[in-house]
Amino acid sequence: MLRLGALTAAGRFLLAGPRLGPPRPAGGRVSLSRAWPPGPVGDRGLLSRQVRVVRGSAHGGGRSPVLKTPKGTRDHPPAQAALRDRLLAAVVACFKRHGAAAIDTPVLELRETLMGKYGEEAKLIYELQDQGGELLALRYDLTVPFARYLAMNKITNMKRYHVAKVYRRDNPATTRGRYREFYQCDFDIAGQFDPMIPDAECLKIVHEILSDLQLGDFLIKVNDRRILNGVFAICGIPESKFITTCSTVDKLDKIPWQDVKNEMVGEKGLSPEAADRIGEYVRLHGGLDLIERLLQDPKLSQNKLAKEGLGDMKLLFEYLTLFGITGKISFDLSLARGLDYYTGVIFEAVLLQQENDHEEELVSVGSVAGGGRYDGLVGMFDPKGRKVPCVGVSIGIERIFSILEQRVKASGENVRATETQVLVATPQKHLLAARLKLISELWDAGIKAEMFYKKDPKLLKQLQYCEDTGIPLAAIVGEQELTDGVVKLRDVATRQEVDIPREKLVDEIRRRLEP
C-alpha cells in the first residue's frame, strides 16, 4: 500500500544535489555552419566560439537565448522524480498483480494511424513535418498504438500494461496536472471473453489503485455507449450526429446543463425539443435500481442497442457487488467520453471533496482515471477487418502526482531523492584506499552506498551530509578500526555508534535496514 508517509520516508531528504561541473552553454546545439571549419592554432575551437557568441549576446551583440521549458512541459528535479517513480511503481505493482505483461511502442506513429480515432480531439495531435517520405505524428495516447500493435502482429489475446509519455496540443493547466507532455499508465485486456468479466476487473484495478494511494474520497462513474446511442435514437437524433452529440454531453460535468443544451442547439444543429428529451436521461445517475428502472422504460427498452447495454450494465454491477466495490460506483448517464473508438462500457474515476466546511455534499475535483471498451479499434487496422474485442483503463498519473506534490508541500515534509543506505566515511587523513576498499565490498554485496569524492574529507561534513540527505547509516573506518579489524557503524538518526567486525558488517547493515 502506497501512502503519503511511505512516499516521504523519515528523516531529512535531499531536495537539490550538488552541481557537477559548469553549466552547459545556453542554447544547446551549436550550428555547424558557424563552428566549422576549425580555427587556427590558439583558437580553442568549437566551445570557445560558442562561449564568445553567448558573451557577445549578453553585451547586445545578438539575441540572448531564452532558457525555459516549452509551454506545457516541465523539468523534474530529484525530489519530484523520486516521488513520481514511487507513484509509478505502485501503479505498475497493481498491474502486475493482475497478470499483465509490459510492452513498449514508438513515440512516433504514422499520421494515418492516429487520424480518425479521436473525434473532435484529433486537433490536439502533434503532427510532424515530412521526414523523408513518411508523414508522422507524436502519439496522442497509448490505446491506438496498442491496437495497431495487436493488428500488425496478429495477436488476438493479450493482457498488457504500458507506461509512457504521450503528447497533446492542449491548453496546459499545470496546477491541475494538465500538460502537453505527460505520462499515461494503461492496462488493457484484449480477446474474446464472456461479457463484463474483463470490464469488471478493470474497474477493480481503478478501485485498488485509488484506495492504496489514499488520495481521499473518490467515485467511479460508469455508462455504456450503446445506452447513450439508444437515448439519442429515441430522442430523434440522426445517427450521423451521435458522436458529436456525445462530445457535447461529455461536458456536462464541467458546465451547466443549459450551456450543454445551447451547444447542442447552436453548434450541433439539434432541435430544442430533442435536446430537452436528451436532458431528461443524461442527468440521471444511480445504481442497480436505476438500471432496472430504465429496463422498464417504455421507449428505451424498445431500442435494441440500449437494451443490450442495460443488460450488460446489470451484469457488470452484479460482478462489482461480488468484488465488494459498488459503494464507489455510480451508473451515470452523463458520462460520454469523447473519443470515437469506444463501443460499450465506459468509465471515469473522479476525486471528491466537500464544497465547503458547512456542506456535506461532495463535489468532483477532477478525473484521475478513465477507460472503456473498444471492440472495433483493432479491426480498423486489420486488412480483413477482423475485430479483437478490448477493454482497458488509463490512470491519470500526472493529476495524481500534482495532488501528492501539493500535499507534500503543504505538510512541510521533504522527499528523499536517493536510496543510499550507507555513507562510507573516514575520520582521518590518508584513508582514501580504506574507503574505496570498504565501499567496493558493500557495492558487491548489493548495499546502496556513497562516499565523498575528496581524499581527506572532514568527518563532520560527512556526517552532516548523511543527516541532510536522509542516509540512515554511516560506516566509519579509521586507523584504529583498521588495526582492530572492525568498522564503526553509526545510526544517523540516534547518533549511536557500535563497532562491528568487518566480516559481519554486511549482515548487520541488512539486519538494521529490514522493514
Side-chain angles (χ1 to χ4, degrees):
M1 184 174 288
L2 182 66
R3 298 182 173 87
L4 190 60
L7 291 170
T8 55
R12 299 195 190 109
F13 305 98
L14 180 62
L15 289 180
R19 302 181 76 90
L20 301 178
R24 289 182 57 188
R29 295 180 182 173
V30 181
S31 170
L32 290 179
S33 61
R34 292 188 178 185
W36 191 262
V41 176
D43 182 344
R44 295 186 180 180
L46 193 66
L47 180 60
S48 176
R49 288 169 180 239
Q50 187 178 8
V51 169
R52 284 205 303 274
V53 169
V54 173
R55 285 176 178 168
S57 298
H59 290 85
R63 182 170 177 266
S64 181
V66 177
L67 292 179
K68 64 182 288 293
T69 58
K71 184 179 179 181
T73 67
R74 65 167 174 167
D75 294 323
H76 286 86
Q80 288 182 358
L83 180 64
R84 185 194 61 198
D85 287 348
R86 293 171 202 173
L87 175 58
L88 290 173
V91 173
V92 168
C94 180
F95 292 163
K96 289 181 176 180
R97 187 162 64 241
H98 286 259
I103 70 165
D104 195 16
T105 62
V107 70
L108 301 173
E109 291 283 350
L110 294 178
R111 180 182 177 277
E112 63 187 72
T113 298
L114 304 184
M115 292 304 173
K117 314 299 188 305
Y118 302 108
E120 294 182 356
E121 295 187 27
K123 62 181 180 290
L124 303 181
I125 294 173
Y126 271 107
E127 297 182 41
L128 305 181
Q129 292 182 349
D130 186 350
Q131 301 293 320
E134 287 188 328
L135 295 177
L136 305 176
L138 297 179
R139 61 187 172 205
Y140 177 90
D141 67 3
L142 301 179
T143 306
V144 171
F146 176 53
R148 188 265 307 154
Y149 173 84
L150 292 176
M152 193 173 83
N153 293 283
K154 296 180 172 55
I155 297 171
T156 58
N157 191 314
M158 187 179 197
K159 185 190 292 186
R160 82 88 166 89
Y161 74 89
H162 190 181
V163 178
K165 287 183 176 181
V166 299
Y167 300 85
R168 298 182 183 179
R169 293 170 50 202
D170 207 347
N171 288 322
T174 54
T175 56
R176 297 179 57 208
R178 183 190 295 164
Y179 296 90
R180 289 181 168 179
E181 176 193 63
F182 58 95
Y183 273 99
Q184 279 195 341
C185 302
D186 282 19
F187 174 97
D188 291 81
I189 301 172
Q192 189 72 50
F193 303 107
D194 289 336
M196 296 298 104
I197 299 175
D199 311 62
E201 182 172 7
C202 286
L203 290 165
K204 180 70 167 70
I205 285 171
V206 176
H207 189 279
E208 284 180 17
I209 290 173
L210 296 183
S211 298
D212 288 350
L213 294 177
Q214 295 191 335
L215 299 170
D217 203 0
F218 63 90
L219 184 69
I220 305 173
K221 302 177 183 180
V222 297
N223 198 5
D224 195 298
R225 272 290 179 83
R226 293 168 295 176
I227 299 174
L228 268 180
N229 289 345
V231 168
F232 298 154
I234 67 171
C235 292
I237 310 302
E239 189 173 345
S240 60
K241 292 186 177 181
F242 281 7
I243 291 176
T244 58
T245 306
C246 247
S247 298
T248 302
V249 171
D250 198 40
K251 300 175 182 177
L252 197 51
D253 65 333
K254 304 178 184 70
I255 59 176
W257 162 248
Q258 190 58 48
D259 293 343
V260 170
K261 177 183 174 181
N262 291 342
E263 182 176 316
M264 285 182 176
V265 176
E267 297 181 24
K268 304 300 169 68
L270 274 59
S271 69
E273 296 76 21
D276 285 336
R277 287 195 293 270
I278 291 173
E280 293 175 6
Y281 287 99
V282 298
R283 286 180 284 181
L284 297 174
H285 57 87
L288 263 174
D289 55 339
L290 176 59
I291 298 170
E292 296 284 7
R293 199 167 89 223
L294 292 176
L295 281 169
Q296 303 304 316
D297 184 283
K299 292 183 180 178
L300 203 58
S301 61
Q302 299 304 309
N303 182 275
K304 182 182 177 183
L305 272 180
K307 192 172 182 180
E308 285 178 5
L310 287 167
D312 279 350
M313 188 64 65
K314 182 178 179 180
L315 186 60
L316 177 65
F317 265 79
E318 291 175 3
Y319 294 150
L320 298 179
T321 300
L322 294 172
F323 283 151
I325 63 173
T326 50
K328 296 290 186 181
I329 308 291
S330 172
F331 173 39
D332 190 329
L333 271 80
S334 71
L335 180 64
R337 295 193 64 80
L339 301 180
D340 280 6
Y341 51 66
Y342 289 122
T343 57
V345 168
I346 49 177
F347 43 86
E348 183 172 277
V350 295
L351 295 183
L352 305 173
Q353 70 178 20
Q354 288 186 357
E355 193 162 17
N356 57 56
D357 295 337
H358 307 292
E359 295 187 20
E360 295 184 0
E361 184 178 355
L362 295 173
V363 296
S364 168
V365 293
S367 170
V368 290
R373 176 161 287 280
Y374 50 102
D375 289 348
L377 187 56
V378 177
M380 294 175 70
F381 297 112
D382 190 278
K384 296 183 179 179
R386 288 169 294 201
K387 294 183 178 181
V388 178
C390 298
V391 63
V393 60
S394 181
I395 306 298
I397 209 73
E398 297 291 353
R399 175 69 59 83
I400 295 172
F401 178 70
S402 292
I403 294 167
L404 290 178
E405 200 176 15
Q406 291 166 14
R407 288 189 181 180
V408 169
K409 186 176 181 180
S411 69
E413 295 184 70
N414 295 329
V415 176
R416 188 174 177 192
T418 70
E419 298 181 4
T420 305
Q421 299 165 318
V422 181
L423 181 79
V424 176
T426 48
Q428 296 110 10
K429 293 183 177 181
H430 311 303
L431 290 173
L432 175 60
R435 267 190 294 145
L436 292 172
K437 187 174 181 181
L438 179 56
I439 199 169
S440 181
E441 292 175 10
L442 296 181
W443 286 336
D444 291 344
I447 304 294
K448 298 170 183 175
E450 282 187 62
M451 70 173 192
F452 269 38
Y453 298 133
K454 285 191 173 184
K455 288 184 178 180
D456 302 313
K458 293 182 179 179
L459 182 60
L460 184 60
K461 283 190 174 182
Q462 296 172 81
L463 298 179
Q464 186 63 49
Y465 178 75
C466 289
E467 295 192 7
D468 291 344
T469 60
I471 299 174
L473 299 173
I476 304 170
V477 55
E479 294 172 353
Q480 188 62 50
E481 285 77 18
L482 288 173
T483 301
D484 296 342
V486 299
V487 174
K488 193 178 297 296
L489 193 61
R490 177 185 176 95
D491 185 306
V492 175
T494 65
R495 300 188 177 182
Q496 293 181 342
E497 298 177 347
V498 61
D499 288 343
I500 305 295
R502 182 81 170 235
E503 66 275 9
K504 295 182 179 180
L505 178 63
V506 169
D507 290 338
E508 178 64 18
I509 290 173
R510 286 174 176 158
R511 185 188 68 79
R512 293 195 183 205
L513 294 173
E514 285 178 354

